[in-house]
Every structure is written in C-alpha cells, then in structure tokens.
Amino acid sequence: MKLNIKYLIMFVISIVIIVGCSNKTLKPDSPDNTARLMILAIINKDYESFNSLFSEGRKGSVSKSDFRELQDITTAGIEYKRYELLTFENGQMLLVRLTPSDKNNEIKIEDVIVVSDEMKEMFKD
C-alpha cells in the first residue's frame, strides 16, 4: 500500500513539473487566441496590450475611454462564436456562423444569415 502511494505522489509531481515547465505562451496566432488576449487585456485593464492586438492602421482606433466602457460590459461568463462575412461583387453579404466539429477537426456551418441593407454599413471598412 505504501508503495502505491509513493508511485502516486511521484506521478503527481511529474505531471506538475511537466505542465509547469511547458512554454506555451498565448500568442495572437488564431482568431480564438486573439479574442482571448483581447479579453485578458480588458480584464487586466491593460490598454497597451489591447491596442497592440490591432493592425497597424487601426491602432488607437479604440480610445482609452471606450476601452474603459468595454471593462464595464465584460463578465466572467464568455461564449465565443466564430463568424465569416462573405461580401459579393453585387454588394450582397452573407454572415456565416461556423462551429468546430468533433470529427476530423473540421469546421462546419451552423447558420447562414443574409445581411440586411441596414446592417451592411456596420461591416464596411
């Protein structure tokens, strides 16, 4: 019995060392990671980190006062959704909601929404 406890303790210590020594820093290298980094910056009240996530032409596009407003609306409970906006030559737009599939790491379509004329302005550059 003492031998089993000894192995269990060694196993737990090994897992702690392996996990603790892993060098997995969150980087803005995917849409999910960038969104997570944005939320972390908002929660930590770190405007500089938040601003660094924007493309060069858009840095500073969210003022510090707007950033403080973002802090007021964020909560601990977050649900991430992924959308893709398709804009056609004729000006029509589709908003496609995507969801990961459990099989083969594929992304599947969950919904397709035709963007109304009133909402198109929100998506224009």
Side-chain angles (χ1 to χ4, degrees), residues 1-50:
M1 186 69 155
K2 288 183 180 182
L3 189 59
N4 288 340
I5 293 174
K6 192 181 216 182
Y7 283 122
L8 179 63
I9 291 171
M10 288 175 50
F11 176 74
V12 170
I13 290 172
S14 298
I15 294 298
V16 169
I17 289 172
I18 290 170
V19 171
C21 293
S22 69
N23 192 13
K24 287 205 153 205
T25 303
L26 192 61
K27 296 177 184 175
D29 56 3
S30 72
D32 291 336
N33 285 353
T34 301
R36 286 184 179 97
L37 286 167
M38 179 193 73
I39 294 299
L40 283 172
I42 292 170
I43 291 169
N44 293 325
K45 300 177 181 178
D46 186 352
Y47 179 76
E48 286 72 29
S49 293
F50 172 81

Side-chain angles (χ1 to χ4, degrees), residues 99-108:
T99 186
S101 172
D102 291 337
K103 300 176 185 175
N104 302 325
N105 292 330
E106 294 179 344
I107 305 294
K108 298 289 186 178

Side-chain angles (χ1 to χ4, degrees), residues 22-122:
S22 69
N23 192 13
K24 287 205 153 205
T25 303
L26 192 61
K27 296 177 184 175
D29 56 3
S30 72
D32 291 336
N33 285 353
T34 301
R36 286 184 179 97
L37 286 167
M38 179 193 73
I39 294 299
L40 283 172
I42 292 170
I43 291 169
N44 293 325
K45 300 177 181 178
D46 186 352
Y47 179 76
E48 286 72 29
S49 293
F50 172 81
N51 199 40
S52 73
L53 297 170
F54 284 82
S55 62
E56 287 307 315
R58 301 288 298 160
K59 289 189 188 309
S61 62
V62 176
S63 68
K64 287 186 178 183
S65 64
D66 289 342
F67 178 73
R68 284 189 291 277
E69 287 181 29
L70 295 177
Q71 293 170 3
D72 293 337
I73 65 171
T74 56
T75 63
I78 300 171
E79 183 178 3
Y80 293 91
K81 303 259 183 201
R82 178 169 295 159
Y83 289 87
E84 194 68 36
L85 179 68
L86 307 177
T87 305
F88 299 96
E89 289 178 345
N90 62 5
Q92 296 299 318
M93 295 179 177
L94 296 177
L95 190 60
V96 182
R97 183 173 164 188
L98 303 170
T99 186
S101 172
D102 291 337
K103 300 176 185 175
N104 302 325
N105 292 330
E106 294 179 344
I107 305 294
K108 298 289 186 178
I109 295 173
E110 194 167 302
D111 199 5
V112 177
I113 303 163
V114 177
V115 178
S116 67
D117 289 336
E118 299 83 37
M119 296 300 293
K120 287 179 185 174
E121 285 300 315
M122 182 175 78

